[in-house]
């Protein structure tokens, strides 16, 4: 029908991708430059419908019985609504057009906040069905492109929304000089809080290494990754230590290592390591070692915080509007999603498990200062959707 062919046309258009460096370069004088803000507006208007259309096409290629799941259906409807809304808006040519666009983008960003949990719930419901579950294809490639695209859309929308706003230390939503030590401290504090709420005690988090290291980054991305890694580490330590009350549990040790082109954070726990049979599955969507009592599914909030502290805002948050207490166990999206965040701006996330001892998580993030003006290799490392996109990844 008419509608599907429109979506298909948009899905076929090539994407314009931006690296973090290009976003910083473009945005640095935007608060003085109305024309620049309008250019950014039209970029968002061009990119978002194409990216939504690709995901709508992907969803249509999934098994009917999966897409009919109420949670997945809700995601489909939300994406179609956003596609339709953005597509029918004329290109922003005046500050008034832009104000209207910015309002709409903010509304869509808020409306789509619960979609991460909806995807997780849809996967969990479907795969736990006795007939359907075993017949579902492997959906990891689908969720990778779904969530990578979601990251990209939220970055594009939020960067544009905040481009014209003056905020010290920020260009749009990017903190130009973000302290990793502060990020670790902030995530550690929240991790200890949820751990204490869940288990009644927690392990110390010790931060060592280059405590002055900083990078330009979107704070909420780092916060999500660190909170996720620290929760996993601390859960392992605390569960391994349960029988041995009296002595304090061994600390989770974070070492920050600053190198010329990247910063690596090594997060080491002595939680006994990942069971060897599970090593491959930790990167699989929906996999979780946490038992159901640790999950907060009933509130529909996943493992998302209700709100962030003063230095962390909800900008580009994986999910907002959450409610209920934080819990230690997620919905099985935390690790693969953290790796997508890391890779999105050219970094990476790796786990090394030492069976019987513990796990080292290595989170690498790229520096940009060193070659601020160097555009080389830009198009190999950044926020790209895989090309050609993964329409037929699930035969
Ligand atoms: C574990 C399992 C895990 C996943 C990610 C990070 C740290 C850890 N520790 O035992």
């Amino acid at each position: 029908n008419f509608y599907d062919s429109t979506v298909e046309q948009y899905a076929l258009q090539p994407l314009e991708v931006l690296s973090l460096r290009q976003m910083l370069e473009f945005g640095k004088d935007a608060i003085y430059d109305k024309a620049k803000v309008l250019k950014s507006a039209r970029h968002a208007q061009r990119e978002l419908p194409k990216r939504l259309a690709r995901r709508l096409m992907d969803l249509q290629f999934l098994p009917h019985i999966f897409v009919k799941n109420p949670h997945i259906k809700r995601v489909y409807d939300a994406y179609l609504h956003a596609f339709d809304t953005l597509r029918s808006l004329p290109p922003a040519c005046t500050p008034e057009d832009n104000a209207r666009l910015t309002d709409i983008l903010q509304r869509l960003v808020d409306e789509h906040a619960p979609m991460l949990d909806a995807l997780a719930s849809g996967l969990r419901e479907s795969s736990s069905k006795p007939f359907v579950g075993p017949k579902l294809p492997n959906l990891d490639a689908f969720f990778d492109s779904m969530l990578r695209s979601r990251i990209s859309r939220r970055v594009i929308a939020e960067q544009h929304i905040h481009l014209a706003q003056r905020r010290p230390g920020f260009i749009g939503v990017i903190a130009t000089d973000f302290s990793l030590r502060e990020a670790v401290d902030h995530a550690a504090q929240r991790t200890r809080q949820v751990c204490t709420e869940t288990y009644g005690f927690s392990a110390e988090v010790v931060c060592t290494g280059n405590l002055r290291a900083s990078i330009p980054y979107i704070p909420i991305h780092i916060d999500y990754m660190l909170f996720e890694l620290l929760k996993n580490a601390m859960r392992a330590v605390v569960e391994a230590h349960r029988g041995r009350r009296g002595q304090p549990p061994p600390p989770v040790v974070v070492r920050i290592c600053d190198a010329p082109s990247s910063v690596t954070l090594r997060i080491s726990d002595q939680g006994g390591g990942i069971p060897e049979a599970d090593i491959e599955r930790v990167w699989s969507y929906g996999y979780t070692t946490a038992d159901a009592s640790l999950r907060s599914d009933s509130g529909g909030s996943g493992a998302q915080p209700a709100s962030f502290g003063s230095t962390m805002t909800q900008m580009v948050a994986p999910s907002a509007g959450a409610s209920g207490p934080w819990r230690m166990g997620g919905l099985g999206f935390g690790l693969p999603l953290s790796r997508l965040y890391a890779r999105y701006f050219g970094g990476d996330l790796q786990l090394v498990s030492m069976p019987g001892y513990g796990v080292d998580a290595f989170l690498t993030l790229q520096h940009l200062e060193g070659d601020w003006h160097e555009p080389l290799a830009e198009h190999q490392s950044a926020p790209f959707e895989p090309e050609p996109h993964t329409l037929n990844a699930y035969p």
Side-chain angles (χ1 to χ4, degrees):
N1 66 30
F2 160 76
Y3 220 43
D4 285 351
S5 71
T6 309
V7 172
E8 193 173 356
Q9 276 167 19
Y10 274 81
L12 284 167
Q13 290 173 27
L15 303 181
E16 292 167 58
V17 294
L18 291 178
S19 67
L20 189 62
R21 190 185 302 117
Q22 286 172 315
M23 284 166 46
L24 285 165
E25 192 80 53
F26 181 87
K28 68 185 173 200
D29 44 10
I31 51 170
Y32 310 108
D33 191 340
K34 286 202 176 76
K36 222 168 195 188
V37 174
L38 291 176
K39 202 175 160 203
S40 161
R42 292 191 296 267
H43 174 259
Q45 282 186 287
R46 279 196 308 277
E47 284 307 296
L48 296 173
K50 291 186 285 187
R51 290 166 192 247
L52 286 161
R54 289 179 180 219
R55 301 299 63 94
L56 287 166
M57 292 303 293
D58 272 10
L59 279 159
Q60 295 190 50
F61 271 88
L62 293 179
H64 186 63
I65 202 157
F66 182 73
V67 186
K68 264 184 61 188
N69 174 282
H71 300 288
I72 305 299
K73 177 82 166 58
R74 187 147 48 95
V75 174
Y76 186 88
D77 291 345
Y79 285 12
L80 188 56
H81 169 72
F83 172 77
D84 209 23
T85 306
L86 292 167
R87 193 178 61 91
S88 51
L89 221 57
C93 295
T94 66
E96 292 72 41
D97 292 346
N98 182 52
R100 195 155 64 104
L101 173 69
T102 303
D103 283 351
I104 289 169
L105 289 178
Q106 186 63 60
R107 208 190 66 220
L108 291 172
V109 163
D110 295 342
E111 279 174 13
H112 285 214
M115 296 309 149
L116 183 65
D117 289 341
L119 288 169
S121 303
L123 175 64
R124 194 153 32 87
E125 271 186 19
S126 301
S127 53
S128 64
K129 292 230 162 75
F131 186 84
V132 177
K135 286 188 152 53
L136 283 180
N138 184 328
L139 294 170
D140 287 344
F142 164 77
F143 281 107
D144 271 344
S145 45
M146 205 71 176
L147 298 184
R148 194 186 294 111
S149 169
R150 183 173 196 272
I151 294 169
S152 81
R153 296 189 313 266
R154 293 178 87 78
V155 168
I156 290 167
E158 302 246 51
Q159 184 65 6
H160 174 64
I161 290 169
H162 292 91
L163 198 61
Q165 295 171 5
R166 185 194 302 272
R167 192 156 64 118
F170 282 81
I171 292 174
V173 287
I174 306 162
T176 52
D177 200 17
F178 192 62
S179 158
L180 292 161
R181 193 259 177 94
E182 279 177 35
V184 170
D185 286 348
H186 187 263
Q189 193 195 326
R190 279 171 43 227
T191 307
R192 295 196 70 172
Q193 186 186 331
V194 310
C195 186
T196 305
E197 284 167 8
T198 309
Y199 294 96
F201 69 109
S202 71
E204 214 185 324
V205 177
V206 178
C207 194
T208 62
N210 302 101
L211 300 180
R212 293 163 190 273
S214 67
I215 51 167
Y217 221 81
I218 297 174
I220 205 75
H221 287 196
I222 294 188
D223 187 58
Y224 182 86
M225 295 183 281
L226 288 176
F227 187 42
E228 204 51 49
L229 292 170
L230 288 171
K231 270 190 306 181
N232 277 290
M234 202 170 296
R235 192 180 67 211
V237 169
V238 161
E239 292 200 339
H241 200 74
R242 263 175 153 170
R244 283 173 277 143
R245 296 287 177 100
Q247 323 148 276
V252 173
V253 180
V254 181
R255 171 167 283 273
I256 301 171
C257 184
D258 199 7
S261 64
S262 62
V263 178
T264 297
L265 294 105
R266 184 188 62 193
I267 299 150
S268 307
D269 70 65
Q270 295 177 40
I274 301 168
E276 258 145 310
D278 291 359
I279 282 280
E280 286 306 316
R281 287 194 298 157
V282 297
W283 299 113
S284 218
Y285 289 89
Y287 167 76
T288 173
T289 50
D291 58 70
S293 66
L294 296 178
R295 287 194 234 116
S296 55
D297 2 13
S298 50
S301 62
Q304 300 302 321
S307 64
F308 295 94
S310 54
T311 56
M312 303 292 172
T313 73
Q314 300 227 355
M315 293 187 297
V316 205
S319 171
S323 60
W326 305 345
R327 296 285 163 77
M328 286 297 275
L331 295 170
F333 274 39
L335 281 179
L337 181 54
S338 293
R339 190 169 67 176
L340 287 181
Y341 275 115
R343 289 180 172 173
Y344 189 76
F345 289 122
D348 203 2
L349 172 59
Q350 286 163 317
L351 296 181
V352 177
S353 174
M354 193 181 200
Y357 180 78
V359 171
D360 283 352
F362 294 88
L363 174 62
T364 303
L365 305 169
Q366 294 293 325
H367 269 303
L368 297 174
E369 292 97 323
D371 51 358
W372 177 276
H373 292 289
E374 176 54 74
L376 272 177
E378 197 106 292
H379 290 281
Q380 284 146 38
S381 63
F384 316 137
E385 309 235 348
E387 293 287 354
H389 78 112
T390 49
L391 268 186
N392 44 18
Y394 358 89

